[in-house]
Amino acid sequence: TEQAKGQIKAINKQLNSKSLVNIISSEKIHDLPDANAAETVARIPGVSIQREGGEGNKVVVRGLSPKYNNITVNDIKIASTDNDNRSVDLSMISQHVIKEITVVKAGTPEQDSDALGGTVNFRLKKAEEGFNANIIIQGMNNNLKNSYLDNKIVAGLSNRFFKDRLGILYQ
């Protein structure tokens, strides 16, 4: 039920948007067995990734090089992680701290005009009211190594303090 509510909310945001956007809700993000945020974004139509060492690290929107795309967190542009261009390496961002991913493929007047390919915006989770704990356990089969030892365990804790003025989220 919660997954359906999250997807309905994301679809309604897409339909009511002024531009061509794709939105992934946190419920859908946590269903996916991705290694990082870049690989989660790659599941959106019109978006692919560049890989380094087998792991996705840079986003390609509408076939344009990563240097032509903007990466933002909570609508604030991230500084480049590359010496040669303005692309951003997303391999160190866990998909488990992301609340929502929005990919804008066609800009509107209120957006920066330097993103020819598109803009990827990550909305980060906030600590919810009260003490919360969760654990995610994933197991994978690696056919190349003929092994079942590729497992992932993610634990999270959050709480709000001082009359909900301070929130702490550990993921």
Side-chain angles (χ1 to χ4, degrees):
T1 304
E2 195 65 30
Q3 289 176 347
K5 286 180 185 177
Q7 282 302 100
I8 289 169
K9 186 177 175 183
I11 290 169
N12 284 333
K13 280 185 175 181
Q14 288 182 56
L15 293 174
N16 294 325
S17 175
K18 297 176 190 174
S19 181
L20 179 60
V21 300
N22 290 105
I23 299 172
I24 301 177
S25 65
S26 65
E27 293 81 12
K28 196 66 177 172
I29 292 169
H30 298 293
D31 281 352
L32 306 173
D34 297 324
N36 58 41
E39 294 190 7
T40 302
V41 174
R43 294 179 182 272
I44 296 174
V47 179
S48 60
I49 54 174
Q50 290 182 346
R51 294 186 177 273
E52 189 173 308
E55 188 174 341
N57 64 345
K58 294 184 181 177
V59 176
V60 176
V61 180
R62 297 187 309 144
L64 292 172
S65 173
K67 66 182 177 182
Y68 297 118
N69 302 311
N70 279 343
I71 306 295
T72 59
V73 174
N74 295 336
D75 296 319
I76 299 171
K77 191 186 265 190
I78 295 180
S80 172
T81 58
D82 197 329
N83 291 334
D84 299 328
N85 59 48
R86 61 186 183 120
S87 63
V88 177
D89 185 352
L90 299 175
S91 64
M92 299 305 289
I93 299 175
S94 170
Q95 75 273 23
H96 298 289
V97 298
I98 299 171
K99 179 180 180 182
E100 180 181 274
I101 301 172
T102 305
V103 177
V104 180
K105 297 177 187 171
T108 54
E110 74 274 2
Q111 296 174 334
D112 289 336
S113 62
D114 59 348
L116 297 175
T119 301
V120 179
N121 185 40
F122 296 100
R123 293 235 180 260
L124 300 180
K125 284 184 178 180
K126 294 181 180 179
E128 295 180 19
E129 192 174 311
F131 179 77
N132 295 294
N134 63 27
I135 187 165
I136 299 169
I137 301 171
Q138 294 177 341
M140 294 177 269
N141 174 24
N142 187 334
N143 286 332
L144 296 174
K145 295 181 186 177
N146 198 16
S147 167
Y148 290 95
L149 300 176
D150 291 338
N151 301 312
K152 182 194 287 188
I153 298 174
V154 178
L157 298 171
S158 69
N159 202 353
R160 297 199 69 82
F161 303 95
F162 306 115
K163 297 180 183 175
D164 290 340
R165 295 181 76 189
L166 174 67
I168 296 176
L169 173 69
Y170 173 78
Q171 196 74 36

